[in-house]
Amino acid sequence: MSEHASKLYPAPEALARAAHVPGMAAYEKLVAEAREDYEGYWSRLARELVSWKKPFTKALDQSNAPFFKWFEDGTLNVSYNCLDKNVEAGLGDKTAIIFEADDGKVTKVSYKALLDKTCQMANALKAQGVKKGDRVVIYMSMSVEGVVAMQACARIGATHSVVFGGFSAQSLRDRIEDARAVMVITADEQLRGGKQLPLKAIVDEAIGLGGCDSIKSVIVYKRTGGNIAWTAGRDQWMHELTAQQSTTCEPEWVSAEHPLFLLYTSGSTGKPKGVQHSTGGYLLMAALTTKWTFDLKPDDIFWCTADIGWVTGHTYIAYGPLALGATEIVFEGVPTYPDAGRFWKMIQDHKVSIFYTAPTAIRSLIKAAESNEAVHPKKYDLSSLRILGSVGEPINPAAWEWYHEHVGGGRCPIVDTFWQTETGGHMITPLPGATPLVPGSCTLPFPGIDAAVVDETGKDVPWGQGGILVVKKPWPSMIRTIWGDPERFKKSYYPADFQGKYYLAGDGAIRDEKTGYFTITGRIDDVLNVSGHRMGTMEIESALVSCTDLVAEAAVVGRPDETTGEAICAFVVLKRPRPTGDEAKAIAKQLRDWVGKEIGPIAKPKDIRFGDNLPKTRSGKIMRRLLRSVAKGEAVTQDTSTLENPAILDQLGQAY
Ligand code: WT7
């Protein structure tokens, strides 16, 4: 434990008085309410936060566990809840989205305008033949149009699957094929850090790879006007399709269990899994966690810096803030352009009051501020801030303290929110008007979430002892299944180890001996977290060995990295003699580019180490624990007597 770990930051008094959850007694009361009448608790909140077309009569159906159903006989529409409802409540002229482009140009979109755009887009989708239940892939950068595309799908009951704009053609193809999508919505290009980067060209390439015959049309948002290829009959400009459409579109009223979206994420095998989310339970948690975790009030300016390609951008950009009628920022660019003061300048310019970002971003901005005074947050007026958030990976206490002091001026609570693509919303997090904070701890479960730390047999371990993080009761926004692979869903999340009773998060955790606060100790499976991006080691290994001209065998592990949290380290055996020096450097670059093409730039290994072979036990198992030590540059303390070829440890010592 670090020197900071015992430091406690109580909720600021003024906040504790006025917050949605005002103080620990209020928190405890909610926890007790959920404990005493679990379904009653969630039903009450589902009625308070969600508008139902037809009210549900039953909260939770466990008859086909672990395929749990929530509010199933209720009907609703997410887009109605995010847009029409706010317009009907008199918020039509309120700004829903403040869009800031890469070049700094600002566009404000009111709730009424967002509703109009969404209806026009929804009508355009229908005119293209998209029907309820069809899958639509969205491959766009951060834009109002991206949010509109998601909302429009929701409006007509189409299931969207957003693919992060940094994924390669191959990854995009795999997701289109797995989802059997009927349409891709994309942009001509994206603008990031002053550079024009392709999107439509990658869609063309993905479809060209084959297996995408389900795609009937490609809708293109004109962002840059850059040169793109055009397939007549298949490709359509978004502005041409929507211009003629009516600004009204009756929402498709769907069952609460209707799949709102799929989002592909990495697991412990080579194949990403399509996490399927529901409509009703998901919307409830999106709205509720946005409200309580960020203490969101009508006058707040909310900014979540995530991309809509990740779950954070779904729950805390596309849905949660809009369901509450909030004003939020959508930012196209990157934190370091035109300089590393961009975030601070935007907070100042837009008077952001709630700011939610990832530890990686904070760590890289600390570095930048330390080497250049001009981009230090103290150079900006950040007095509008009242709450800060962190997400995606553990935040180290030093980064926490800096964020608290220099960004939050010592007065803003930091909510360190633990959750996952699969959980749909926050699971373990402080509530800013209640929970005393400890840097590096995500503190306590969100009220109603039954999180626990258990051993391999599912028995609770005592506080102070590390174990496996599980959730004992189903919750409304949980993953419903893995698209097309219910068996994998059961095996991954409800394993027989716990008699199929507990949700397995895939993380280790430990609870503080005195407070019971949770600290996440990292993944217990073969999943890495690089800059808050989730990557499967097997996925990267498959990409490497698919370079059949060069690679005979590969093993990938993570190692700690100061800025990115974890870094990808690949151990590679080539089909040719082991390279050294400049040759090794050149091949390492070639392999990085290969992985970039197979998966996306985020998956490029930071270190590549070449060996004549890989360290294996006599039974042929790769000694991954040993590789992790080598990757860290630690002395190898493991027993290497079973190693077939101890000499390779020296070879693997050199990283390229
Ligand atoms: C994994 C989930 C949560 C949305 C973005 C990432 C790690 C996430 C925290 C946190 C420590 C965290 C876990 C988790 N993680 N938040 N506050 N503290 N670790 O979603 O890509 O599904 O990744 O990110 O390891 O399992 P994801």
Side-chain angles (χ1 to χ4, degrees):
M1 283 259 137
S2 89
E3 75 278 17
H4 299 294
S6 55
K7 221 162 154 185
L8 206 69
Y9 294 78
E13 250 172 66
L15 189 63
R17 269 196 304 276
H20 288 302
V21 181
M24 277 314 268
Y27 168 81
E28 294 295 356
K29 206 170 143 212
L30 291 165
V31 172
E33 183 189 346
R35 193 173 44 232
E36 278 146 33
D37 178 8
Y38 194 64
E39 290 190 47
Y41 168 80
W42 288 117
S43 298
R44 170 176 77 78
L45 293 166
R47 288 187 195 105
E48 282 175 21
L49 281 121
V50 175
S51 279
W52 299 85
K53 181 71 173 175
K54 177 171 156 273
F56 58 89
T57 58
K58 184 176 166 48
L60 173 62
D61 176 357
Q62 314 208 47
S63 59
N64 190 28
F67 300 93
F68 300 101
K69 291 175 176 160
W70 283 90
F71 317 119
E72 195 191 7
D73 66 347
T75 66
L76 75 160
N77 181 279
V78 164
S79 140
Y80 173 84
N81 270 272
C82 293
L83 303 173
D84 311 57
K85 182 174 149 183
N86 293 317
V87 173
E88 286 164 17
L91 300 179
D93 293 329
K94 182 174 179 178
T95 299
I97 294 177
I98 302 171
F99 174 71
E100 182 163 320
D102 189 54
D103 66 4
K105 184 163 176 271
V106 174
T107 316
K108 293 189 180 177
V109 185
S110 68
Y111 270 93
K112 178 71 178 76
L114 194 60
L115 172 61
D116 289 353
K117 280 173 184 285
T118 298
C119 287
Q120 287 188 306
M121 185 67 185
N123 286 326
L125 296 184
K126 284 206 275 191
Q128 289 294 305
V130 180
K131 294 184 305 294
K132 176 183 170 187
D134 283 347
R135 275 80 54 214
V136 172
V137 162
I138 299 174
Y139 187 66
M140 293 176 87
S141 54
M142 290 297 288
S143 53
V144 172
E145 288 68 18
V147 175
V148 166
M150 295 165 81
Q151 287 282 346
C153 288
R155 195 162 192 93
I156 65 169
T159 300
H160 61 66
S161 176
V162 184
V163 177
F164 175 59
F167 277 116
S168 68
Q170 183 66 47
S171 294
L172 178 59
R173 189 215 76 93
D174 293 348
R175 285 156 174 77
I176 292 172
E177 185 184 45
D178 190 80
R180 306 301 299 151
V182 299
M183 174 187 273
V184 181
I185 305 176
T186 188
D188 50 357
E189 294 179 316
Q190 54 181 328
L191 265 175
R192 284 169 71 80
K195 287 199 233 26
Q196 282 175 235
L197 303 165
L199 281 173
K200 169 66 163 62
I202 296 173
V203 173
D204 292 339
E205 193 188 336
I207 295 176
L209 289 168
C212 302
D213 347 314
S214 55
I215 296 290
K216 298 195 185 71
S217 44
V218 175
I219 311 289
V220 187
Y221 162 55
K222 193 181 231 169
R223 173 65 188 97
T224 64
N227 243 334
I228 53 169
W230 204 255
T231 303
R234 186 197 71 184
D235 300 349
Q236 320 262 3
W237 285 112
M238 185 186 282
H239 60 271
E240 286 176 4
L241 285 184
T242 52
Q244 311 307 322
Q245 296 294 344
S246 160
T247 53
T248 58
C249 172
E250 174 66 13
E252 181 80 37
W253 306 104
V254 299
S255 153
E257 280 299 315
H258 183 71
L260 177 65
F261 67 88
L262 311 179
L263 187 58
Y264 285 82
T265 191
S266 300
S268 20
T269 74
K271 193 172 173 258
K273 36 194 183 187
V275 172
Q276 179 179 321
H277 276 288
S278 71
T279 296
Y282 173 79
L283 180 65
L284 165 60
M285 286 294 278
L288 181 67
T289 54
T290 307
K291 183 170 173 176
W292 286 359
T293 305
F294 300 112
D295 189 41
L296 191 107
K297 303 275 174 53
D299 292 337
D300 275 310
I301 308 287
F302 181 83
W303 185 14
C304 164
T305 69
D307 191 285
I308 52 166
W310 309 110
V311 74
T312 310
H314 283 59
T315 307
Y316 301 106
I317 296 177
Y319 294 118
L322 298 178
L324 297 174
T327 297
E328 64 171 335
I329 310 275
V330 170
F331 176 43
E332 182 182 44
V334 298
T336 48
Y337 178 82
D339 61 42
R342 183 70 181 264
F343 276 2
W344 322 136
K345 178 161 190 314
M346 282 180 63
I347 292 170
Q348 171 179 284
D349 289 353
H350 301 298
K351 302 202 165 35
V352 171
S353 55
I354 305 171
F355 181 66
Y356 189 33
T357 197
T360 295
I362 298 163
R363 285 192 296 265
S364 68
L365 296 177
I366 293 174
K367 257 197 194 164
E370 279 170 354
S371 63
N372 176 9
E373 275 269 295
V375 298
H376 195 284
K378 71 183 173 207
K379 297 283 179 185
Y380 299 82
D381 176 6
L382 305 181
S383 58
S384 57
L385 286 171
R386 58 182 203 96
I387 286 153
L388 301 174
S390 171
V391 62
E393 49 180 324
I395 178 162
N396 48 306
W400 195 104
E401 297 282 1
W402 188 92
Y403 192 28
H404 188 256
E405 182 182 339
H406 296 291
V407 182
R411 58 174 201 286
C412 308
I414 299 176
V415 288
D416 175 359
T417 60
F418 169 83
W419 60 299
Q420 308 174 297
T421 303
E422 293 87 342
T423 70
H426 302 152
M427 298 301 279
I428 307 179
T429 177
L431 301 183
T435 324
L437 307 173
V438 171
S441 167
C442 51
T443 73
L444 295 169
F446 192 85
I449 299 299
D450 195 6
V453 183
V454 300
D455 65 17
E456 287 76 17
T457 64
K459 268 214 328 269
D460 281 47
V461 302
W463 290 4
Q465 198 176 306
I468 299 164
L469 181 64
V470 297
V471 185
K472 292 189 173 176
K473 290 199 193 86
W475 66 100
S477 64
M478 63 189 299
I479 173 176
R480 292 306 194 262
T481 187
I482 292 174
W483 180 256
D485 202 347
E487 277 312 306
R488 188 172 176 199
F489 165 77
K490 273 208 255 186
K491 260 179 48 198
S492 308
Y493 303 110
Y494 283 89
D497 317 35
F498 311 133
Q499 295 78 47
K501 283 200 309 226
Y502 298 159
Y503 169 84
L504 176 72
D507 284 286
I510 182 166
R511 301 188 67 166
D512 183 85
E513 239 166 319
K514 292 199 197 77
T515 59
Y517 276 18
F518 287 74
T519 291
I520 306 299
T521 50
R523 298 288 306 195
I524 52 170
D525 52 11
D526 297 318
V527 168
L528 305 182
N529 192 324
V530 182
S531 301
H533 295 153
R534 188 163 149 182
M535 302 292 334
T537 53
M538 290 267 286
E539 228 177 313
I540 307 168
E541 286 167 13
S542 322
L544 283 166
V545 296
S546 75
C547 185
T548 48
D549 287 349
L550 272 174
V551 178
E553 202 180 6
V556 169
V557 300
R559 68 156 171 81
D561 181 274
E562 239 183 54
T563 308
T564 59
E566 269 185 300
I568 302 167
C569 183
F571 294 84
V572 177
V573 180
L574 295 179
K575 286 183 173 168
R576 60 171 84 168
R578 179 174 55 85
T580 53
D582 285 348
E583 191 199 1
K585 269 191 211 145
I587 296 178
K589 176 172 185 311
Q590 213 179 326
L591 292 178
R592 275 189 194 100
D593 291 344
W594 176 272
V595 173
K597 243 181 100 64
E598 284 295 297
I599 304 175
I602 49 174
K604 287 185 180 182
K606 184 152 187 182
D607 303 342
I608 297 186
R609 295 165 186 265
F610 297 101
D612 289 336
N613 43 48
L614 296 177
K616 290 186 188 158
T617 59
R618 292 222 168 86
S619 63
K621 271 185 72 178
I622 293 178
M623 299 172 78
R624 287 178 183 274
R625 215 157 56 88
L626 187 149
L627 290 182
R628 277 192 281 271
S629 301
V630 175
K632 271 195 230 171
E634 276 176 5
V636 172
T637 54
Q638 288 94 336
D639 177 13
T640 53
S641 60
T642 56
L643 255 188
E644 228 178 297
N645 175 7
I648 54 169
L649 285 182
D650 277 344
Q651 301 169 2
L652 296 173
Q654 178 68 42
Y656 295 94

